[in-house]
Amino acid sequence: MAISAHADSLASFLPEIEPADLAPGADAFGPVRDDVPVAPVLKGGETIAWAFLTSDFVGTTGYSGKPIHVVAAIDDDAVLTGVKLVKHSEPIVLIGIPNSRMVELTEGYTGLDLKHEAATGGEGHDLDIISGATVTIMVIDDSLVRGGIKVSRALGLGGLSPLQAEGPKREVDMAQDATHDWTTLSGDGSIRRLTLDVGQVNAAFEATGDQRAIERPERGEPDDTFIDMHVALASVPSIGKSLLGEAEYQNLTKWLDEGEQAILVLGRGAYSFKGSGYVRGGIFDRIQLIQGDSSVRFFDKQQRRLGRVAASDAPSFTELDIFKIPADAEFDPTEPFRLQLLVQRAVGAVEKTFLTFDLGYKLPEQYLLPIAAPAVVDDATGEAAAKAALWQRIWKDRTVEIGVLGVMLLVLTATFFFQFHATMNARVFYWFRIGYLTMTLFFIGWYANAQLSVVNLMALAGSLRTGFSWDAFLLDPLVFIQWFAVAAALLFWGRGAYCGWLCPFGALQELTNKIARALKVPQWTLPWGLNERLWPAKYMIFLVLFGISFVSIPLAEKYAEIEPFKTAIILKFMRDWPFVVFALLLLGIGLFIERFYCRYLCPLGGALAIPARIRMFDWLRRYKDCGTPCQTCANECPVQAIHPTGEINPNECVTCLHCQVLYQSEDKCPVIIRQLKRRAKTGSVSPKTPLGQPPANHPNAKPQTVS
């Protein structure tokens, strides 16, 4: 296919790269090929490697929803000779992680053997993860490994052949049972032969350079037969009946279980393919069957002797044995295999040296059923499967973290559903909340780096405009699960489920404020009028960022640095000093005004508050007296979300449940205090109505509403 020099093509990136950076000693690049988008890396006019752009071969995108462009070079042995990170849109790398660290990690893939990766399914190397950039690193790794293997297969590098479109599985034609003579079977390839003479074996040992083996040559003349070994697939009806005879073939079929196959091995000459080791150990250690990446060793229970070859004009043999191939070996009789012969030579009293010789075998075409027309395979299907395998691998690797987050979400859900019971004991609930926020900060934030951000929402909006795909969002399981939990919580409780309990930076603000209070740091309460006028700021910030994202998502991501989340949570303050100063400034103000950033500046909080208006339930209990005249809850609300008239503003409430603690307080709630006094006067010991739940006809009863 023709490759045009568009902005993100290999041709556009090569002028920015020194050839020697991709292959030692290289001095130039050749033109990009038309059939495969690769360019030769030249040294003195000779091609020593091939350069390719990962995004030309692999469609994996980062958390930004865009590819991470890496140019790499691969030599004829399918080994990466150089790697360069040339372009990306990952916000965590653009602003958070030092570019030098990313360059160092990417260039560390130099020397990766793609033959080994192809054999191990891409898991033959260790993955170096940078804290806070897990998804980005996984995408770079996946792109280099899968892209490199595709290039190797397309160019035939390192012996890797192109993957063929998978068609119908070939099958042996079991209806064919005509018998043939030895000459016919040998001529059409039904019987394959390996012949070695003494001279060939001695020469092979001499080539090893092992002087001890050379000094012990095989006896006899060079032309004497060392071994003459024949192999046939005896479980194929026509071959089996021809070589074994009708009766012996029927015995063979009874001996074989479903899925099992059998080979006939015949031998003569000075060397035995069986040896005598199987008598002692039960294993035939001189032969093994190899097909693809699988090998089969035969044991004495898998072997039967044959008295004679039934085919006419067959030569005589000294060894005639049938070996059973077990079903769990997943042997495919329609595919090529080889029988490997181990030739051993004693070089000491008990020490031996070894050589191997292969006898290849492929079942002739006439024994197979006709080939059906192969189905057309869409390359997009394979790409989708690879993307799915990547996120599934990530989810599997983070099973423990996912489990812990799941438990935290269940605990929080139960707390909200049974909030009246959870808040009965003020002291117990206080320490429960402190413990939960600590877990949120240390586990979700600093350990798992699963802080949600307004950047996530902008990436989602961009994905919806350009073609939505789940793959990019599934790459970070804890973030993905939290977003689903937040979406559900918005219907039930509004934004407070996340902002008040699951946001690591929110937890950091509240915990540091608790410490400040313990140290007697004075707390500032803004006048109600000023508080109301500062609320809209976070909504305006969100709308500005969202508008910029329609023009340029990378630009919007840069301005989204008004969120101190990357600095304080993802990078743990290990960042350039202006970002650290900004985050510390916000936390410093929060020592005097609790959750200052959450209340007035957080664009994520503003974004969540907008859809939270559709919540279906009002859970927070209120009395008729709340606000008129009682102002206890309004005065003690940590984020000033309760109007002087008593209504709770759900857009600003972080659902800390402090008002529900006060709702049942025997020391602070006037309604409860009056109930206690009334019961004390009447001498009531077992009241019919628990404290905090006045009967419907009680003068203090008020609809259970928060707005």
Side-chain angles (χ1 to χ4, degrees), residues 226-289:
F226 179 76
I227 188 171
D228 183 17
M229 186 171 69
H230 297 70
V231 171
L233 196 54
S235 49
V236 175
S238 183
I239 299 175
K241 291 181 178 181
S242 299
L243 297 177
L244 307 183
E246 182 68 34
E248 195 64 39
Y249 178 76
Q250 294 303 323
N251 290 334
L252 173 66
T253 57
K254 294 177 182 177
W255 184 43
L256 298 178
D257 293 328
E258 183 177 358
E260 295 182 336
Q261 303 290 333
I263 58 172
L264 173 65
V265 185
L266 308 171
R268 58 185 176 178
Y271 190 73
S272 167
F273 64 77
K274 293 192 297 185
S276 58
Y278 73 95
V279 178
R280 298 185 302 274
I283 184 172
F284 294 88
D285 59 358
R286 293 189 179 184
I287 57 172
Q288 69 170 332
L289 183 147

Side-chain angles (χ1 to χ4, degrees), residues 439-523:
M439 190 70 178
T440 294
L441 174 61
F442 283 88
F443 173 73
I444 296 179
W446 286 337
Y447 173 76
N449 295 318
Q451 167 81 59
L452 302 189
S453 167
V454 72
V455 173
N456 304 144
L457 296 177
M458 293 190 293
L460 175 61
S463 177
L464 291 173
R465 293 196 305 269
T466 58
F468 179 76
S469 172
W470 286 107
D471 298 307
F473 299 95
L474 287 165
L475 289 174
D476 196 332
L478 269 66
V479 170
F480 183 83
I481 292 170
Q482 283 191 89
W483 274 118
F484 260 86
V486 168
L490 290 177
L491 297 176
F492 286 84
W493 302 287
R495 77 179 183 104
Y498 179 75
C499 296
W501 294 83
L502 294 170
C503 176
F505 188 75
L508 177 60
Q509 290 180 92
E510 185 165 332
L511 292 173
T512 52
N513 181 266
K514 297 294 184 189
I515 295 173
R517 289 174 183 266
L519 297 175
K520 308 300 182 182
V521 174
Q523 299 298 299

Side-chain angles (χ1 to χ4, degrees), residues 167-176 233 236-237 261 331-335 363-372:
K169 184 179 176 62
R170 299 300 304 273
E171 295 182 1
V172 176
D173 186 355
M174 302 301 289
Q176 285 194 44
L233 196 54
V236 175
Q261 303 290 333
F331 174 78
D332 186 349
T334 67
E335 294 295 326
L363 189 65
E365 190 68 27
Q366 68 262 26
Y367 298 112
L368 303 177
L369 292 172
I371 302 175

Side-chain angles (χ1 to χ4, degrees), residues 194-500:
L194 171 67
T195 301
L196 297 171
D197 58 35
V198 171
Q200 288 175 310
V201 174
N202 286 335
F205 275 109
E206 289 176 5
T208 65
D210 188 338
Q211 192 61 36
R212 298 174 303 169
I214 297 173
E215 292 173 355
R216 294 173 178 263
E218 301 297 330
R219 296 178 182 178
E221 297 299 321
D223 293 335
D224 289 350
T225 300
F226 179 76
I227 188 171
D228 183 17
M229 186 171 69
H230 297 70
V231 171
L233 196 54
S235 49
V236 175
S238 183
I239 299 175
K241 291 181 178 181
S242 299
L243 297 177
L244 307 183
E246 182 68 34
E248 195 64 39
Y249 178 76
Q250 294 303 323
N251 290 334
L252 173 66
T253 57
K254 294 177 182 177
W255 184 43
L256 298 178
D257 293 328
E258 183 177 358
E260 295 182 336
Q261 303 290 333
I263 58 172
L264 173 65
V265 185
L266 308 171
R268 58 185 176 178
Y271 190 73
S272 167
F273 64 77
K274 293 192 297 185
S276 58
Y278 73 95
V279 178
R280 298 185 302 274
I283 184 172
F284 294 88
D285 59 358
R286 293 189 179 184
I287 57 172
Q288 69 170 332
L289 183 147
I290 300 173
Q291 186 178 66
D293 298 328
S294 302
S295 62
V296 180
R297 290 278 187 184
F298 299 108
F299 293 83
D300 52 3
K301 293 182 179 180
Q302 298 168 309
Q303 177 258 358
R304 280 186 174 183
R305 293 182 181 180
L306 180 67
R308 66 178 184 86
V309 178
S312 59
D313 70 347
S316 60
F317 294 95
T318 56
E319 294 179 319
L320 305 88
D321 295 88
I322 303 171
F323 293 94
K324 178 195 295 186
I325 305 171
D328 59 9
E330 298 183 351
F331 174 78
D332 186 349
T334 67
E335 294 295 326
F337 66 91
R338 67 185 192 271
L339 191 70
Q340 190 174 76
L341 174 70
L342 183 72
V343 177
Q344 56 190 30
R345 176 173 289 182
V347 294
V350 293
E351 192 175 355
K352 297 179 180 179
T353 188
F354 305 94
L355 288 176
T356 58
F357 299 89
D358 288 343
L359 193 167
Y361 189 95
K362 187 180 188 305
L363 189 65
E365 190 68 27
Q366 68 262 26
Y367 298 112
L368 303 177
L369 292 172
I371 302 175
V376 177
V377 179
D378 185 357
D379 187 58
T381 302
E383 183 65 25
K387 290 180 180 179
L390 176 60
W391 70 256
Q392 288 168 8
R393 173 185 168 193
I394 295 174
W395 281 63
K396 183 178 179 180
D397 291 343
R398 305 195 71 178
T399 301
V400 175
E401 291 96 327
I402 292 171
V404 174
L405 178 60
V407 171
M408 291 183 66
L409 293 175
L410 287 174
V411 170
L412 183 60
T413 302
T415 301
F416 283 170
F417 271 111
F418 302 102
Q419 62 187 35
F420 188 76
H421 301 84
T423 56
M424 279 185 175
N425 188 307
R427 184 173 182 80
V428 170
F429 181 76
Y430 173 84
W431 287 110
F432 166 76
R433 179 165 171 78
I434 292 297
Y436 199 98
L437 293 177
T438 302
M439 190 70 178
T440 294
L441 174 61
F442 283 88
F443 173 73
I444 296 179
W446 286 337
Y447 173 76
N449 295 318
Q451 167 81 59
L452 302 189
S453 167
V454 72
V455 173
N456 304 144
L457 296 177
M458 293 190 293
L460 175 61
S463 177
L464 291 173
R465 293 196 305 269
T466 58
F468 179 76
S469 172
W470 286 107
D471 298 307
F473 299 95
L474 287 165
L475 289 174
D476 196 332
L478 269 66
V479 170
F480 183 83
I481 292 170
Q482 283 191 89
W483 274 118
F484 260 86
V486 168
L490 290 177
L491 297 176
F492 286 84
W493 302 287
R495 77 179 183 104
Y498 179 75
C499 296

